[in-house]
Amino acid sequence: MSILTCCVPPSSSLPPVRSLRTASEDSITTALHSLQALYCPLRLPATLSKDKEAATAPVDSGYVSEDEGEVAPLQRRYSTTEDAFAALRADPYEKDFTVRWLTSLIARASELPFDSEEAREKAVDDAAFILSSFSDSPTTEEDEALSRDFVFQTSHDSNVTIQINDAPLTGADHTDVGLQSWGASIVFSEMMCKDPERFGLDQLPENATIIELGAGTALISLTLGKLLPSIGAKAQILATDYHTAVLENARTNIITNFGTDNVPVDAMLLDWATPPPALAASANMLFAADVVYAPEHSAWLRDCAAHLLAPEATFWLVVTVRSHGKFNGIPGTAETAFEDFESTRRGGKALRIIDKEMLDKKRGVGRGDENGYMLFKIGWVDA
C-alpha cells in the first residue's frame, strides 16, 4: 500500500457501515491499516525523532542545482504527504466519522465475514487500539481533560447532577482506565436514582459506611453522595482505587461536586489483595462497576468483599458483557468466583450471588464493544 493511499479521507474510503456484514476480510483489514497509518503514527522519544528527521533528509549528491533553494522532487513529495496527513488528523469531521465507523465495526464484530475467530479478534483489537489513540493524542505536551455533566432523574421528580473530570489516560500504565467514566457506572448510577429503594438505600443504618471498589472517576460514589440526602438517608462513602493518578482525579471530582467542607465522600487507596484490617466487616453496602477484566480479578474481588462486607450487608457488582475478544465470558468468571470457596465463609455464613439481572446497553452510553451489563446482588447466606 502506498503512503499516499492513506491520505484519502476516511469518509470517502472506508467501507460503508451498512455493508460491513458483506464486506470482505481484506477490505476491512486494509481499512484498519490505513486508519492506523493515519491516526497512530510511530511515536518516538524527542531525541530519536530528531535523529529520524536527519536520516530522512535528502543526501547531498555532490552536484549543484541551478537553484540552491529549490526543493528536490522526492523531498517535496514527502513534505506534501506529511502535510496531507496532518490536515486529515486535525479534521474534526473525519475524526468523528472514523470514531463512528470503528464503533460500528466493533459492535458488529460477531457478524463480520472473517475466516477465523483469531482474525476477527485481531480486527476488534486493532479497531479498539485506533479508538484509544483519540484519547491519547501525542500532538500536545499535556492532553486536555474532558469535563462531563451527568443528570440523573430521581424517583421524586428531582435531578442529581454530577460533574466529572474524565482525565486523559497516562499512557504509562494500561491499567489506569479508571481515569475515565465507563458505561457500567453510568447505567448503574441512573438506576440507583430512579429506584433507590430497590437497592436498599432507604434502609441504611445510622452512621452507615458505603465502599466503592475500583471507583475510577468516583461517579457512583458522587451520585450516592447527592442522592442519599434527598431520600432522608446518610452515609460515609469511601471511593477506593489502587492507582495514584486515578485517586488524584477522583479527589478532584469530589471537590468539584462537594467543595471541601462537610464532604460525604472520601477517596482512599485500597489494594484488593491486602484490604486494611481497620475496614474489616465495616461496609454496610459495597459497590463495584466494570472492574473485572480477568478471572483473577474476580477472585481478588471476592476475597476483598468477604473482608469488607458487614454481616447483613449487600454487595452490588456490575460486570460488563462483551461477546467477542479477550473479555468474552468475563461475567462467568465472577459467578464461578462466588461458588463454594473457603475464603468466602465466615461465622456459619458464606458470601454468595443471591440474584442477577442482565441490563441493556443504552444508546450513546459506553464503548462500542459493550453488549450490556450483568448486575449481581451478593450477600451472606447460611453456609
Side-chain angles (χ1 to χ4, degrees):
M1 177 178 60
S2 166
I3 189 170
L4 292 175
T5 303
C6 302
C7 293
V8 179
S11 59
S12 60
S13 61
L14 296 176
V17 168
R18 62 180 179 276
S19 64
L20 281 175
R21 294 184 180 89
T22 57
S24 69
E25 180 177 335
D26 285 343
S27 67
I28 294 175
T29 301
T30 299
L32 288 170
H33 286 170
S34 295
L35 291 176
Q36 282 182 317
L38 175 60
Y39 290 111
C40 309
L42 181 64
R43 303 176 190 180
L44 299 173
T47 53
L48 292 182
S49 296
K50 293 177 182 177
D51 292 342
K52 183 173 181 281
E53 290 174 6
T56 56
V59 178
D60 186 353
S61 65
Y63 290 94
V64 179
S65 65
E66 292 183 2
D67 184 354
E68 287 287 348
E70 182 182 352
V71 180
L74 181 59
Q75 185 181 8
R76 182 169 56 246
R77 179 183 168 198
Y78 176 83
S79 176
T80 302
T81 301
E82 285 301 300
D83 289 344
F85 267 98
L88 276 180
R89 290 190 194 106
D91 189 320
Y93 173 81
E94 293 299 334
K95 186 176 293 186
D96 183 61
F97 182 92
T98 299
V99 168
R100 293 199 307 271
W101 188 86
L102 290 168
T103 302
S104 297
L105 184 143
I106 292 173
R108 293 169 169 78
S110 61
E111 305 169 10
L112 297 180
F114 280 72
D115 293 336
S116 68
E117 191 61 30
E118 182 180 357
R120 189 190 319 278
E121 290 183 6
K122 182 163 190 321
V124 170
D125 287 344
D126 287 345
F129 173 76
I130 298 166
L131 278 174
S132 72
S133 71
F134 295 125
S135 62
D136 184 25
S137 173
T139 58
T140 59
E141 292 184 2
E142 183 176 354
D143 289 348
E144 293 183 3
L146 173 65
S147 180
R148 304 173 68 186
D149 292 328
F150 295 97
V151 180
F152 303 118
Q153 187 173 6
T154 69
S155 56
H156 45 276
D157 296 326
S158 62
N159 292 330
V160 168
T161 302
I162 307 294
Q163 186 176 80
I164 289 292
N165 178 63
D166 269 355
L169 303 183
T170 66
D173 185 351
H174 72 281
T175 62
D176 63 0
V177 292
L179 287 166
Q180 299 185 352
S181 301
W182 294 77
S185 63
I186 299 171
V187 170
F188 189 67
S189 293
E190 182 180 45
M191 289 182 65
M192 289 193 301
C193 289
K194 284 185 176 179
D195 192 0
E197 292 80 10
R198 173 185 177 182
F199 301 99
L201 296 175
D202 60 331
Q203 302 296 321
L204 289 170
E206 190 176 354
N207 299 319
T209 296
I210 295 176
I211 299 176
E212 182 183 3
L213 299 173
T217 61
L219 177 59
I220 289 177
S221 293
L222 296 171
T223 301
L224 286 166
K226 292 194 175 184
L227 174 64
L228 292 181
S230 72
I231 61 172
K234 185 179 180 181
Q236 178 58 41
I237 304 162
L238 297 178
T240 70
D241 211 287
Y242 181 69
H243 297 278
T244 302
V246 173
L247 284 172
E248 289 176 357
N249 187 56
R251 292 188 178 103
T252 297
N253 289 331
I254 291 170
I255 293 172
T256 298
N257 288 274
F258 295 103
T260 56
D261 297 327
N262 300 317
V263 179
V265 183
D266 192 15
M268 67 171 288
L269 176 72
L270 192 146
D271 184 348
W272 296 353
T274 56
L279 292 181
S282 66
N284 301 104
M285 199 164 286
L286 202 59
F287 293 92
D290 203 0
V291 297
V292 179
Y293 289 87
E296 57 266 29
H297 296 168
S298 294
W300 296 338
L301 187 65
R302 173 202 66 210
D303 293 345
C304 182
H307 175 84
L308 297 173
L309 206 60
E312 303 300 324
T314 301
F315 175 23
W316 295 101
L317 171 64
V318 187
V319 181
T320 300
V321 177
R322 297 173 172 91
S323 61
H324 51 263
K326 60 184 177 181
F327 300 129
N328 182 25
I330 286 299
T333 70
E335 295 193 59
T336 300
F338 284 93
E339 291 175 353
D340 191 14
F341 287 90
E342 289 300 322
S343 59
T344 66
R345 295 178 182 271
R346 191 171 71 202
K349 300 281 188 177
L351 195 60
R352 294 288 182 270
I353 293 174
I354 299 172
D355 197 7
K356 65 178 182 179
E357 178 186 351
M358 182 65 182
L359 309 177
D360 292 333
K361 183 181 186 300
K362 296 202 169 185
R363 185 180 181 87
V365 175
R367 308 300 167 110
D369 65 337
E370 298 176 5
N371 299 107
Y373 314 95
M374 187 64 71
L375 172 63
F376 295 102
K377 181 181 180 179
I378 301 168
W380 295 105
V381 299
D382 292 331

